[in-house]
Amino acid sequence: MRKERHLTIDEKRDWLASIFRDDEGIYSQADKFKAMVEDTRLAELEAELRKEAAPPPSHAIPPDILSHLPPPLAR
């Protein structure tokens, strides 16, 4: 079986968190800021993917409901 080549979003976010939380001085403030920005982007991407994968609510009104309504009454 072929080994996966790419990291998951969670693995990337863990790695970025380790950069952002660096206390040893290995990474500069600019590196930490870049890690924070990239982590935010990945979090937004993850939320978007989760939203797309979620099934629509069962009580949702069909979008074409207006086409089924009768015309307005004349007064």
Side-chain angles (χ1 to χ4, degrees), residues 9-28:
I9 291 177
D10 288 334
E11 291 170 331
K12 291 176 186 177
R13 292 191 71 202
D14 289 342
W15 178 70
L16 290 168
S18 69
I19 293 173
F20 184 72
R21 294 183 181 127
D22 172 51
D23 291 333
E24 298 173 10
I26 297 172
Y27 299 101
S28 68

Side-chain angles (χ1 to χ4, degrees), residues 45-75:
L45 176 65
E46 189 175 38
E48 184 180 308
L49 292 173
R50 196 177 315 119
K51 183 179 175 183
E52 289 175 1
S58 61
H59 64 281
I61 299 173
D64 63 339
I65 192 75
L66 294 176
S67 65
H68 298 292
L69 294 176
L73 297 174
R75 292 186 183 195

Side-chain angles (χ1 to χ4, degrees), residues 22-42:
D22 172 51
D23 291 333
E24 298 173 10
I26 297 172
Y27 299 101
S28 68
Q29 291 296 324
D31 291 335
K32 291 179 181 184
F33 180 76
K34 290 175 188 176
M36 182 179 64
V37 169
E38 186 64 20
D39 181 61
T40 303
R41 189 185 71 77
L42 286 173

